[in-house]
Each structure stands twice: as C-alpha cells, then as structure tokens.
Amino acid sequence: MVRVVCLLIGYVFGLFQTAYIYGRLHGIDIRNYGSGNAGTTNTLRVFGTKAGLLVLLGDIMKCILAVVITAVIFDSSHPDMVYLLKMYTAAGAIIGHNFPFYLKFKGGKGIAATAGLILSFHPYLIPMGIILFFGAFFITHYVSLGSLLVYAGFMIELVILGQLGIFGMTQALLIEMYVIAGFLTVMAYWKHRENIKRLLSGSERKTYLTHKSSGAEKTAEEK
C-alpha cells in the first residue's frame, strides 16, 4: 500500500505541467507549437532561454518536492526501504509529467523531472548526471543525446551503488528498485524514439541557448 501512496504523491506533483501553464499564460498551447512537446526544450525554442529555464526549474522542483515529502513522511517508519519509496515517488512524478490525465495524457518526455530525481535521490548520482548531460550538450548541442546518456549513466550507476551497499537495502528491495529505474529508462528511450532515429540519420535538430524559434508558427517537426 505504501508503494501506491508514493506513486500517487509523485503523480499529483507531476501533473503540474510547467510548460503548458507557461504557454497558456502567454496565450498558446505549447503542444501545438515547435516539436509539440510540453517540456523544457520546446519551451526554449518557442519562447527563448528565460522561459526554458523557468520551465526547467519548475519541472525539476516538482519531482524534488515529491521525493522530499516522501522522505519526510516515511523515513522514520520505513528506514530500510526509503530509497525504494523515493524511486516510486519519482516514477509517479515522471509518469504524471509524461501522461497528465487532464491533458489527454499528452505531456512531456520526463527528462527535467528525471533531473529532479537524480538531484534528490543520492548525492553520488549528481556529478555523473551533470557531466553526461552538459558534456554531450555543449559538444553536440543535441539535448536528446545528453538526455539519453544521462538515463543510461543513471541506470548503470544506480546498480553499482546499490550492489556496493550505499542504499542499505536488502537484495530483494534493490532488485525492485532496479526494475522501476529500468522501466523509467525504457520509457525515456521510447519517448525519444523519433529523436533516436534523427540522431542516427544526422537530422536531429540542435538547440542553442542564445536564440529562439518563432513561436508564431506551428510545425509538425519532431512530432
């Protein structure tokens, strides 16, 4: 039951669709512009760097807050599985971000929310995530590539840390946590399947922090 509660806590926080709300405040549905994705990258391209950073912060913080609340509630009553419960909560937040019921399950791709997971889960995960994402982004300007590398690195490092005993859980609980993380990784790669095709063909769109796309034109690109 506690696992379901954590999933629900996360999902409720994940429903705060920062990009969609920002777009509505400016008179548009962000899902009808640019790539059609309700996330940081599309907001940056349509509205510019400031808007992209605001959406990034909002999507990161909603996952962090959900995970912190879970830790506060369950740390004393379930100390032997608090990391597992954090993972359930973060999974709920990412699912809520990707599939918000009130937007007909059309949300974002969950990368900023995943950044919130990495930042709030354990300090050991943070350096690798930063290096992988920003290293790939500043070298190639492909947000999708950085995002995919972060997920791969996160999954590998999580298993290594778990097997080293960092999370203080039994092997059964660790395997359960790995399964959830694996599900999130597969979902992220599935959500980026079109990006992967374009990366392989060399047609993926690059993203820059110094200018934006025209927000006045709709496009089917990257949908």
Side-chain angles (χ1 to χ4, degrees), residues 11 22 24 48 131 188 200 209:
Y11 189 79
Y22 187 93
R24 282 303 187 190
I131 291 170
L200 293 174
L209 300 178

Side-chain angles (χ1 to χ4, degrees), residues 136-193:
F137 175 71
F138 285 121
I139 291 172
T140 68
H141 292 284
Y142 291 138
V143 172
S144 56
L145 178 60
S147 302
L148 294 169
L149 288 176
V150 166
Y151 251 110
F154 165 69
M155 187 70 221
I156 293 169
E157 189 173 11
L158 185 76
V159 172
I160 292 173
L161 292 176
Q163 295 309 119
L164 289 175
I166 298 299
F167 304 123
M169 296 193 299
T170 64
Q171 189 63 33
L173 292 178
L174 285 172
I175 291 174
E176 186 177 350
M177 184 175 71
Y178 301 155
V179 170
I180 300 168
F183 165 76
L184 294 177
T185 302
V186 171
M187 181 170 64
Y189 274 71
W190 179 79
K191 293 285 285 184
H192 284 81
R193 61 195 183 280

Side-chain angles (χ1 to χ4, degrees), residues 9-10 13-19 38-41 51-69 86 89-94 97-98 109-121 126 129-130 133-134 143 147 150:
I9 290 173
F13 274 86
L15 293 177
F16 185 84
Q17 292 289 314
T18 317
T40 298
T41 303
L53 291 176
L54 286 173
V55 169
L56 174 65
L57 180 62
D59 287 345
I60 288 175
M61 288 305 302
K62 67 187 180 187
C63 189
I64 290 178
L65 289 173
V67 171
V68 169
I69 287 173
K86 285 182 178 183
T89 302
I94 294 167
H97 175 80
N98 290 354
K109 295 181 179 179
I111 299 304
T114 300
L117 160 61
I118 292 173
L119 290 170
S120 59
F121 194 79
I126 297 174
I130 292 174
F133 180 80
F134 287 104
V143 172
S147 302
V150 166

